[in-house]
Amino acid sequence: MPPVVRRLPAYEPPVGMPAVIPRPRPRPVWVPVPEPPSPELDATRLVWVVLEVLDGRRSRRLLREVAVPGLAARLGGTVRVRATRMVRAPRVCHPSRFVAEISVTIRREGRAFAVAARAEHRSGRWWLTTFSVLE
């Protein structure tokens, strides 16, 4: 087969004309599809129910409605009569769509404490899976 000779495109501008520099095409950029928002979470209610049970103001049975069974059993054994109040609204962080980490400051017996909790969305509801009062 004989060699094929092709004419090269002009690479020098014509004399007296301004040079036109070809610009490279922008490359497509991958944009991830945004994750849908997390289901609605009432963190104040979840934390407040547990605190009321721990203070002896509500029945221990209520823990079964907001916490997983292992956590409900553990928290049910730590009930004492005392007065607790929240200092401010809970702060909520969503590490993933169906997980929420909750922190709140409470006052109990004249002292300030921190509460840390983790909630997971299962079976159409938010359930507390971890709850601890940091002293």
Side-chain angles (χ1 to χ4, degrees), residues 58-76:
R58 294 218 178 207
S59 170
R60 294 178 189 181
R61 290 178 303 159
L62 226 61
L63 290 174
R64 291 184 288 188
E65 296 178 16
V66 295
V68 294
L71 178 64
R74 183 177 64 83
L75 291 175

Side-chain angles (χ1 to χ4, degrees), residues 107-122:
R107 290 201 67 76
R108 178 186 283 169
E109 298 167 351
R111 295 176 52 202
F113 297 96
V115 172
R118 182 180 177 99
E120 295 181 10
H121 194 268
R122 302 176 184 173

Side-chain angles (χ1 to χ4, degrees), residues 63-97:
L63 290 174
R64 291 184 288 188
E65 296 178 16
V66 295
V68 294
L71 178 64
R74 183 177 64 83
L75 291 175
T78 61
V79 175
R80 280 189 19 209
V81 176
R82 55 192 162 199
T84 301
R85 67 182 179 89
M86 279 193 215
V87 175
R88 61 175 58 121
R91 295 175 189 245
V92 179
C93 171
H94 286 277
S96 72
R97 183 172 177 218

Side-chain angles (χ1 to χ4, degrees), residues 6-135:
R6 292 191 183 118
R7 180 177 290 248
L8 290 174
Y11 55 91
E12 289 188 18
V15 178
M17 300 283 296
V20 178
I21 301 173
R23 302 215 184 267
R25 286 183 172 175
R27 292 188 176 183
V29 178
W30 179 75
V31 177
V33 176
E35 195 173 272
S38 298
E40 190 65 34
L41 167 66
D42 187 2
T44 304
R45 185 190 71 82
L46 279 177
V47 172
W48 194 242
V49 165
V50 174
L51 289 174
E52 285 183 337
V53 170
L54 294 179
D55 289 350
R57 290 184 276 163
R58 294 218 178 207
S59 170
R60 294 178 189 181
R61 290 178 303 159
L62 226 61
L63 290 174
R64 291 184 288 188
E65 296 178 16
V66 295
V68 294
L71 178 64
R74 183 177 64 83
L75 291 175
T78 61
V79 175
R80 280 189 19 209
V81 176
R82 55 192 162 199
T84 301
R85 67 182 179 89
M86 279 193 215
V87 175
R88 61 175 58 121
R91 295 175 189 245
V92 179
C93 171
H94 286 277
S96 72
R97 183 172 177 218
F98 295 114
V99 175
E101 293 177 347
I102 306 164
S103 63
V104 65
T105 305
I106 61 170
R107 290 201 67 76
R108 178 186 283 169
E109 298 167 351
R111 295 176 52 202
F113 297 96
V115 172
R118 182 180 177 99
E120 295 181 10
H121 194 268
R122 302 176 184 173
S123 308
R125 293 181 52 185
W126 285 98
W127 294 91
L128 287 173
T129 57
T130 305
F131 188 92
S132 59
V133 179
L134 308 170
E135 300 184 22

